[in-house]
Every structure is written in C-alpha cells, then in structure tokens.
Amino acid sequence: MGFGLPGSYPFHEHHTARNSSSIMASDSDYTRSMQKVDVRYGYLMIFSTIIVFHSLNNLVARYVGTPKSVRNDPWRWRNLFISWIHGMICGLWNISCFLLYPEIFEDLIEHINYFTYMMVAFSTGYFLYDSIDMYLNNRLKSNWEVTLHHIAVTSMFWSNVHTGLCIGYNCVALMAEINSFFLHSRKLLQMYEIGFNHWFYKLVTYLNLFSFVSCRGFSICRIFYGMYVEPSRVPVVFYVCLSMSMVVMSVINVILFWRLFKSDILKPQKQQPKLNGNHNSFYRKDE
C-alpha cells in the first residue's frame, strides 16, 4: 500500500511550504509512473479477474464436492476454496516479484513495471470479486471483519492502480497472501476433518504461524516505517486514508495472530472444531 502525509514540523510556518512541495512531488511521481504503464491494462486486469473468479466459483460449485462438515453451508466452502486459490497464485507471483526485481526496495513509491503492476491489479480484482460475492450471498454484515478488511485494502489498491504510484508498497503488502495460502490451507484441512494431531496439519499450522510473522508482520512494519520516513511524496488525503487502512489492518492482524497462537499453540484442541458459518473464519477463532 502506498502512502504519504506531511508530518508535524517544529515550526508552523514550514507547514504550507511542505504541503506545496508534497503536491509537486506527488504530481511528478505520478507523471513518471504513468509513462511506464498504461492504466487501461490495469483496469482490464481488474475486470477480467472478477469475471475469471466468478466463473471459477461456478465451476467449483458444479464439479468440486463440498466436505461433509460444511454441507449445510456450501457457499462458505466455495468462498474459502477460491480464497485459497488466490492466495496460492498471488503468493507465488509475489515471491517472483522480489526475486526478479530486487530493486523494488530502492524506491517503493516510484517502482513500477507491468509484472508488479498487474499483480496489484489482479489482487484488486479478486478483493472486489469477493466483496461482490459476499453481497450477493448476504454475508457483508455477518462477516463484517472481512468486509472491513476488503474496504481498507481495495480502496488503497485501486488508488495505486489508477495513479501508478506505490506499487512497490503494494507488493510488500501482498506478502500477506503468502501467509494466506497456509491460513486457508489450515481451515480447509479442518473442513476435511483432518485430525489436529496429524503430522500434516501440524506442519501447516507451524508454517502458518511462521509465515504470519515473517510476511504479514514484516509488511506492516515496513509500510509504517515508510510512512514515517518519506511522508511528503504523496498527497495528504491519500496519507490520511492509508493511515486509517493501516490501523484497521494492524488491529485485525494482531487479533487474528493471537487467536491462531492461542488455538494452535497454547490450547491445542483434541477434537475437530465446530465449523460455523463465519465466512472462511479468516478473523474468528475456531471453536
């Protein structure tokens, strides 16, 4: 996620000048970024992704059997399975971005090429698809945590796709999808009633916790660091929106990690949890 709000200067008379330099810097960054990519391809990717995931959802509903444990709520199974697919694709794509373009970290605001840009557009399309899917199935209120997450993420991602700025920060933010692959794998194993003591389930839980700290933790810390050291390179309004999004994401992730740690490490359960209808239990403890 990209950002930038002018911070407080010791002397009030510097504030107006700093705002002006911030606007000029952001305009200059925007011009350079949009010379490197065509935003029309970004929008094409977004809408294509929505259509592809909608079609994939229909294929899963028709050809992939629903586990016995959630046959009373097949939507929940399909939604989690589609999320797992997105996590796998985006996770591999994200790793490839940093392997192929390690120079991303040289300038997370101005970095842009079609490979990284399209990944951000792809994930923007997925989050929009998932929001639409929840709306059509009357799940927005019951899954308010996921709804809040999608609003926070999609608003910032769309802005960056449109302006071509902060794509590097989006790549850092999407490191979370590496963890999402293991997070959703954990829930899928529960749906298939794989025992908590099974070696494969234990492996997934440990990989989930490790990737949570290393991927989600790093991405949040790196974005906050960037907000502190280079706030003058994007408009004030954008920074304010990012600040609210980051607060939401930080709170959600702290709560999620604690629930996972308590469930899988502090209180390892001896029997399968009772699976309820809470979306993909992304932010709720398994009972």
Side-chain angles (χ1 to χ4, degrees):
M1 301 176 191
F3 53 84
L5 169 71
S8 298
Y9 266 38
F11 304 101
H12 179 72
E13 59 266 23
H14 290 166
H15 186 70
T16 301
R18 188 163 185 258
N19 279 343
S20 299
S21 63
S22 173
I23 294 173
M24 289 187 294
S26 61
D27 286 346
S28 177
D29 290 342
Y30 170 77
T31 301
R32 286 193 293 270
S33 296
M34 297 322 293
Q35 287 175 347
K36 298 178 182 179
V37 298
D38 188 335
V39 69
R40 292 176 296 180
Y41 291 123
Y43 279 104
L44 179 61
M45 172 63 85
I46 290 174
F47 292 119
S48 297
T49 300
I50 294 174
I51 294 172
V52 168
F53 275 113
H54 175 72
S55 301
L56 186 59
N57 182 42
N58 291 334
L59 290 175
V60 171
R62 178 173 298 184
Y63 298 109
V64 181
T66 303
K68 293 180 180 179
S69 62
V70 286
R71 283 184 178 172
N72 62 328
D73 190 4
W75 174 87
R76 182 165 174 259
W77 148 252
R78 294 196 309 271
N79 186 267
L80 176 63
F81 190 72
I82 298 300
S83 298
W84 179 79
I85 292 175
H86 170 259
M88 177 175 59
I89 295 174
C90 189
L92 292 173
W93 199 338
N94 187 263
I95 293 172
S96 299
C97 286
F98 292 114
L99 291 177
L100 295 174
Y101 306 103
E103 66 272 14
I104 288 177
F105 287 102
E106 295 177 4
D107 191 339
L108 292 172
I109 291 181
E110 278 200 51
H111 164 83
I112 192 169
N113 60 49
Y114 275 109
F115 191 77
T116 54
Y117 179 72
M118 286 302 185
M119 180 184 69
V120 177
F122 170 78
S123 286
T124 304
Y126 164 73
F127 290 124
L128 286 172
Y129 153 78
D130 199 41
S131 300
I132 295 170
D133 187 49
M134 288 194 296
Y135 171 76
L136 293 176
N137 289 275
N138 299 314
R139 303 293 179 119
L140 290 177
K141 290 184 179 179
S142 61
N143 300 304
W144 62 268
E145 321 98 307
V146 184
T147 302
L148 193 61
H149 166 272
H150 286 2
I151 292 174
V153 172
T154 306
S155 59
M156 305 312 301
F157 275 37
W158 171 82
S159 178
N160 293 343
V161 169
H162 183 72
T163 63
L165 291 176
C166 303
I167 296 301
Y169 275 106
N170 285 138
C171 292
V172 171
L174 284 171
M175 289 177 65
E177 291 307 309
I178 300 173
N179 167 251
S180 291
F181 172 77
F182 296 106
L183 182 66
H184 298 329
S185 295
R186 172 183 177 273
K187 178 56 63 176
L188 286 172
L189 291 175
Q190 291 179 4
M191 288 183 172
Y192 277 112
E193 300 181 295
I194 303 299
F196 283 92
N197 294 321
H198 194 283
W199 69 270
F200 187 67
Y201 182 85
K202 288 185 176 181
L203 175 63
V204 170
T205 59
Y206 291 137
L207 289 174
N208 178 43
L209 291 172
F210 173 76
S211 62
F212 197 109
V213 175
S214 59
C215 295
R216 290 179 184 266
F218 171 78
S219 64
I220 290 176
C221 290
R222 182 60 184 86
I223 292 171
F224 272 123
Y225 173 76
M227 293 172 68
Y228 175 74
V229 300
E230 49 182 0
S232 63
R233 296 181 62 189
V234 296
V236 175
V237 173
F238 185 78
Y239 184 92
V240 171
C241 293
L242 175 72
S243 299
M244 293 187 292
S245 295
M246 288 305 299
V247 168
V248 170
M249 295 305 301
S250 298
V251 171
I252 285 176
N253 279 285
V254 168
I255 294 174
L256 174 58
F257 179 78
W258 170 244
R259 288 173 173 174
L260 290 169
F261 186 79
K262 185 167 62 173
S263 176
D264 293 338
I265 303 298
L266 299 182
K267 297 179 180 180
Q269 302 181 34
K270 298 181 180 179
Q271 60 183 6
Q272 294 296 329
K274 179 180 179 181
L275 298 174
N276 52 39
N278 296 329
H279 187 52
N280 50 22
S281 293
F282 199 85
Y283 306 119
R284 298 193 181 186
K285 177 182 175 182
D286 300 320
E287 301 292 357

